[in-house]
Amino acid sequence: MLNQKDILQIEERGASVAGVKDQIEHFKTGFPWMKIVGPATPERGIKVLDKDAVAKAVEYYKKADIKGKSKFVPASGAASRMFKDQFSGLAKLEAGEDLPSDAPGYKLAAKIKDFAFYTPELFGEPADTKEYRLKALKALLKEEGLAYGSKPKGVLKFHRYPEEVRTAIAEHLVEAQEYMRNADGSCNLTVTISPEHQALFEEAIGEVKSAYEKRYGVKYNIHFTFQDKATDTLAVDMENKPFRKADGSLLFRPAGHGALIYNLNKVEDELVSIKNIDNVAHEKLLPVTAEYKQVLMGVALQLRDKVFDYLRTLDQAPSVQLCNEIENFLDKELCIQMPLAHGEADRIQMLREKLNRPIRVCGMVKNEGEPGGGPYIIAGKDGCTSLQILESVQINKADSGAMAAMSHATHFNPVDLVCCLRDYKGGKFNLLEHVDPQAGFISSKSFEGRELKALELPGLWNGSMSDWNTLFVEVPVETFNPVKVVLDLLRPAHQA
């Protein structure tokens, strides 16, 4: 199935032949379905904090001993999907057709002045004509205009202010200084980008960095990181044979955001906040955004310190009473229920292994119809239950119990999480040791008009964090303002 040229191509990418063969096997056998116990809800699995608990979490964060803080921003890829409907509308207009009034391209041209990227020089004065709709979409998408369809979301102009227009990455800089300052006044950001977009990001950041440092009294340390080519996965055809391009070479594809666990693993700071590049709002919502980010960090640090205390006590004075207390804590706080141990030594070892893991606290938003994965309680291969974030493709639609759990879910995952990456002795966890390799999934794609199957690595906040201690906290819907399509920028959260 693999020839010598294939083997050379694989090795030149920094990948292994054995790993590629494993990928082919996954296409043949698929991935096991998650065994769902039930949805995580406010009754069990999701913390809903009152005003007093919110205030205490924020205060705890502000006083905690933290060995460095970072903001981790997944920002790879072009914004092509954000403008998919506009490209379709442009094609119709260029073919001489007009757009119906409910078409996204029509709506964009009609509201063009409400977008932060509008300038009269480029877009002219709006008019309710086919000719103007064509002009507006060309100005937005074509190379002679903004060429937004081929640029990354991070450098697109999202929000307008009286004195400036901010890109998505600029809003992340403003957010960072509000809630992620280190003791020395610095803000560390790790931004995952594609190598071909680095110059665009450097330009966008260069336009505001000095001004923001002066305005907010902060020093930004910004590190760009690329998804390693060695984490790309082989594509196969519909018969599960290696997909070959016209020249006979193998086709490898980026393996989804799950590959970013390698990038996160290189972050040296103890406390890391993760939020997608497109989930930013106009600064008018910064107070609630910052408050609840600090809430998540405070809750994470409370959990960290409680876990560290238990581990130190287990080292110094283990007892049946202590083990009982830890088991109750794991069950009540983290929904971890374990099988009975065969003896005291086994019990202590099991508890130590469950406690001494990376920590993540994930914000969860009430389900109001937005797309996204959700929080569940699952039963793992080791017989223990745990809290996990599952995508819909990881749920067996033929399993009536799983579908019932999905239908009773009350919240969804906005990708707003905080991670503690050091152990109780101050050492750095190797995050790659806490990935569930069986939590990937297969998707259908195409290449040059030919169908193929693509392999997604266990998602960054799904299987890549499967073996973490997880806690879910309800956060207000106002903190979730993603821009999936360009018309989302017309929502109130993105308007002045």
Side-chain angles (χ1 to χ4, degrees), residues 1-57:
M1 190 173 287
L2 297 175
N3 58 43
Q4 283 303 119
K5 284 186 178 180
D6 297 336
I7 292 171
L8 181 62
Q9 182 185 351
I10 292 166
E11 291 175 344
E12 285 178 345
R13 299 178 64 84
S16 71
V17 174
V20 169
K21 288 182 177 179
D22 284 344
Q23 292 169 20
I24 295 172
E25 198 60 29
H26 274 309
F27 282 113
K28 294 177 180 179
T29 61
F31 290 94
W33 298 110
M34 295 292 177
K35 186 177 180 181
I36 299 174
V37 175
T41 67
E43 285 69 40
R44 179 166 169 81
I46 298 177
K47 278 186 173 292
V48 180
L49 306 180
D50 59 24
K51 288 185 178 181
D52 185 54
V54 164
K56 286 181 178 177

Side-chain angles (χ1 to χ4, degrees), residues 462-475:
N462 311 114
S464 283
M465 295 180 173
S466 176
D467 194 29
W468 291 41
N469 279 325
T470 299
L471 197 155
F472 297 141
V473 176
E474 183 180 281
V475 295

Side-chain angles (χ1 to χ4, degrees), residues 337-407:
Q337 293 181 337
M338 298 183 296
L340 293 174
H342 296 296
E344 185 179 354
D346 286 342
R347 187 186 189 195
I348 291 171
Q349 181 60 25
M350 286 174 62
L351 291 174
R352 190 187 304 281
E353 289 175 357
K354 286 300 176 186
L355 289 171
N356 194 26
R357 306 189 294 174
I359 288 170
R360 61 172 176 164
V361 172
C362 312
M364 290 293 156
V365 173
K366 285 183 180 177
N367 201 332
E368 296 182 353
E370 293 283 355
Y376 291 88
I377 304 170
I378 68 133
K381 296 182 290 292
D382 62 355
C384 299
T385 59
S386 65
L387 293 170
Q388 301 290 340
I389 297 170
L390 302 184
E391 304 297 332
S392 60
V393 295
Q394 295 177 282
I395 298 175
N396 185 1
K397 307 301 186 293
D399 182 338
S400 59
M403 293 306 293
M406 191 175 179
S407 68

Side-chain angles (χ1 to χ4, degrees), residues 14 35 64 66 103 111 121 130 219 226 269 334 351 353 417 421:
K35 186 177 180 181
I66 306 167
K111 293 284 190 178
E121 295 79 16
K130 179 172 70 174
K219 174 71 170 69
F226 310 126
D269 291 313
L334 306 178
L351 291 174
E353 289 175 357
L417 58 157
L421 305 183

